[in-house]
Amino acid sequence: MQDALRRFKADIFQALAHPTRIAILELLRDGDLSAGALIEKLGMEQANVSQHLAVLRAKQLVSNRKAGNQVFYSVRDPILIDVLDLMRTYFHAHLKESLGMLDELDKTPEAVR
Amino acid sequence: MQDALRRFKADIFQALAHPTRIAILELLRDGDLSAGALIEKLGMEQANVSQHLAVLRAKQLVSNRKAGNQVFYSVRDPILIDVLDLMRTYFHAHLKESLGMLDELDKTPEAVR
DNA sequence: TAGGAATATTCGAATGTATTAATATCAATT
DNA sequence: AATTGATATTAATACATTCGAATATTCCTA
């Protein structure tokens, strides 16, 4: 049982373990977006984004609703946003040591982080 | 820059994306443990655990200190524990739907979750 | 109902990750 | 300095993930 739980947790983290999927969740932070809107904002291949969305769907991190021609995605549980926020705190505390990005970080507009 | 940040975040999540590594962090929750103690508690191959520890070290999720013959590990930043706790809340909210574990879950002693 | 727009799926090649077995390193002890 | 105990590293194999290209599906509208 413990192990099943940990596999479940690991699966969620695995779903978060890609820059594009993180970008998607961050874009969905403030509300729904259509697949097309995501593709445009990400500036990536349609198929690629669609595949990443499939991963997020499979792990149930997002929910989707069809509206005619389009599919709108949203973050399924706001706890996930809390997790991302907590991690952001973590990243800010450790990015400097981990990479040599301290100067760049300080110059980065708030909105970007 | 944005992208570098997301790669960094994804890397951290990647480090968390394995049941054994989650188990290690959970074992380290309440204090340091030697590699040997971890190996014993996990009941896994020495080399395997050591490699997972290497991943956690590489991503700086744990710190280690040598004490003679042994190496003691600890969670480097308590925020990580908070993240795991948040995730636990998440799992409890969604485990039932995600897997068919509801019965097992209800039978599981509190201490295990 | 044919065509077009939006999205999803499948396939293959490249790359990355996990595991085991074998070996190496390092510190303590004799 | 040789041996032992604790931990780390390397190498090989198996398995999973990612990506782009091509194709399929679904819904809308002419």
Side-chain angles (χ1 to χ4, degrees), chain B residues 46-67:
Chain B
Q46 181 271 326
N48 194 359
V49 174
S50 190
Q51 278 174 114
H52 284 300
L53 286 171
V55 171
L56 293 172
R57 251 186 291 125
K59 301 297 166 53
Q60 315 236 54
L61 301 195
V62 299
S63 42
N64 56 331
R65 122 189 98 79
K66 277 195 144 160

Side-chain angles (χ1 to χ4, degrees), chain A residues 4-21:
Chain A
L5 237 179
R6 283 178 185 139
R7 273 198 300 274
F8 182 77
K9 296 181 184 184
D11 274 357
I12 306 290
F13 286 125
Q14 177 63 52
L16 295 171
H18 194 285
T20 300
R21 295 195 289 269

Side-chain angles (χ1 to χ4, degrees), chain A residues 34-36 46-47 50-51 69-71 73:
Chain A
S34 68
Q46 182 271 324
S50 190
Q51 280 174 109
N69 222 2
Q70 294 166 287
V71 178
Y73 283 89

Side-chain angles (χ1 to χ4, degrees), chain A residues 90 93-100, chain B residues 8 11-12 15-16 25 52-64 73-78 80:
Chain A
Y90 178 86
H94 297 292
L95 239 193
K96 289 187 179 185
E97 323 152 20
S98 300
L99 303 175
Chain B
F8 179 76
D11 274 357
I12 305 291
L16 294 171
L25 291 174
H52 284 300
L53 286 171
V55 171
L56 293 172
R57 251 186 291 125
K59 301 297 166 53
Q60 315 236 54
L61 301 195
V62 299
S63 42
N64 56 331
Y73 284 89
S74 57
V75 177
R76 198 171 63 132
D77 187 325
L80 272 188

Side-chain angles (χ1 to χ4, degrees), chain B residues 1 6 11 28 40 56 69 74 99 103 105 109 111:
Chain B
M1 174 62 198
R6 283 181 185 136
D11 274 357
L28 294 178
E40 193 214 325
L56 293 172
N69 222 2
S74 57
L99 303 174
D103 293 336
L105 186 61

Side-chain angles (χ1 to χ4, degrees), chain B residues 68-104:
Chain B
N69 222 2
Q70 295 166 286
V71 179
F72 283 86
Y73 284 89
S74 57
V75 177
R76 198 171 63 132
D77 187 325
I79 287 182
L80 272 188
I81 299 294
D82 296 342
V83 170
L84 289 175
D85 283 348
L86 247 195
M87 287 302 254
R88 172 150 58 186
T89 306
Y90 178 86
F91 302 130
H92 274 84
H94 297 291
L95 242 192
K96 289 189 180 186
E97 323 152 19
S98 300
L99 303 174
M101 313 182 80
L102 58 170
D103 293 336
E104 287 81 342

